[in-house]
Amino acid sequence: MTFSPPSKQRIEYLELAAATYQKQLQGSPAAEYLTSRGLTQGSAQYFRLGYVESPVSGHERYAGLLAIPYINRQGVVAIRYRCIEGHDCKAIEGHSKYTREPGDKAKIFNILALAKPEKRIAVCEGEFDTMTGWQNGIPTIGAAGAKSWMPIFNRLIRGYDEVVTLADGDDAGLLLADTIAEKNEHAKTRQMPHESDVNSYFLEQGKERLLEYTGF
Ligand SMILES: [Zn+2]
């Protein structure tokens, strides 16, 4: 698999889109949704989250979705979209909770966290757990899942004393942790309690308990 970075034009387009959706967040159903997931306005700003109310040209299909930009030193290199309806996305045929644009390959979410000098870093599955960790002061990067952890990513976490995967509290949650541990001997796994993840644990137990449980 090749990892050609997005072109300058592509990044400019995504920058414009992200900025547009950011402006449409306030007072939107997406803002309400973020609050329900315990994310602060500060986090929404930091991660440049947005709501696709009036899509930029080419993004019509993402109308009504929460926009989650993937940002690296070059700028916005991808935007992923999340359904914020109250229904069970899995129960609807041909519909999925998360949508990514064609050609958007596996990427690390919140990769800028790697620029901070830290001895330990946490890896979460999914953007919401990653944002929750970060909001609570845990240096956190995210992967979309075990299959989204690319061999090339191992190089990025080599310099840490410890890499802790905060695995979801189900069997599938261990897949990402095991994938990372297989190639990184300084990797550890901290699995969240049964049926919970970093976000739900934080919502139920609060910041102090989250830090205590995760050891950060
Ligand atoms: Zn849905």
Side-chain angles (χ1 to χ4, degrees):
M1 191 181 274
T2 55
F3 279 88
S4 47
S7 66
K8 203 166 157 265
Q9 286 88 339
R10 174 86 185 139
I11 291 173
E12 275 169 18
Y13 172 71
L14 292 171
E15 277 284 349
L16 171 75
T20 303
Y21 306 146
Q22 243 188 311
K23 282 188 206 129
Q24 298 174 359
L25 181 67
Q26 206 189 2
S28 74
E32 215 171 289
Y33 178 77
L34 293 174
T35 305
S36 77
R37 298 291 302 268
L39 290 179
T40 62
Q41 279 188 23
S43 292
Q45 272 166 17
Y46 179 80
F47 290 104
R48 299 184 60 188
L49 304 178
Y51 178 60
V52 188
E53 189 178 81
S54 321
V56 299
S57 176
H59 275 180
E60 293 75 17
R61 70 178 92 171
Y62 309 120
L65 301 175
L66 168 71
I68 307 174
Y70 273 58
I71 302 165
N72 70 14
R73 271 190 222 129
Q74 272 74 50
V76 180
V77 290
I79 303 177
R80 293 190 184 158
Y81 303 89
R82 192 195 192 282
C83 175
I84 51 169
E85 300 291 332
H87 58 226
D88 175 11
C89 296
K90 276 186 228 141
I92 301 169
E93 222 187 288
H95 171 76
S96 49
K97 186 155 71 169
Y98 282 95
T99 313
R100 58 172 79 176
E101 294 184 52
D104 173 6
K105 300 202 182 72
K107 289 177 180 66
I108 287 183
F109 180 64
N110 199 27
I111 195 166
L112 291 174
L114 297 174
K116 283 183 81 182
E118 300 279 357
K119 285 189 160 55
R120 307 165 72 212
I121 190 132
V123 184
C124 283
E125 188 168 338
E127 294 91 352
F128 273 86
D129 288 336
T130 306
M131 293 191 285
T132 303
W134 184 259
Q135 177 176 297
N136 287 294
I138 303 173
T140 314
I141 55 169
K147 285 189 191 131
S148 299
W149 187 265
M150 298 291 131
I152 196 172
F153 297 166
N154 292 319
R155 218 172 49 197
L156 302 172
I157 57 170
R158 216 159 271 163
Y160 291 90
D161 291 350
E162 208 174 80
V163 176
V164 185
T165 303
L166 303 176
D168 290 356
D170 54 29
D171 293 343
L174 290 174
L175 283 175
L176 174 64
D178 291 352
T179 303
I180 294 173
E182 213 158 282
K183 298 283 180 205
N184 299 278
E185 58 179 18
H186 57 316
K188 286 191 174 157
T189 303
R190 182 68 170 138
Q191 189 171 28
M192 301 308 290
H194 187 59
E195 307 255 286
S196 75
D197 57 27
V198 170
N199 181 255
S200 69
Y201 192 85
F202 164 64
L203 277 175
E204 283 158 24
Q205 309 280 344
K207 177 177 180 171
E208 294 313 315
R209 293 289 298 273
L210 176 68
L211 295 180
E212 203 179 301
Y213 188 85
T214 57
F216 277 87

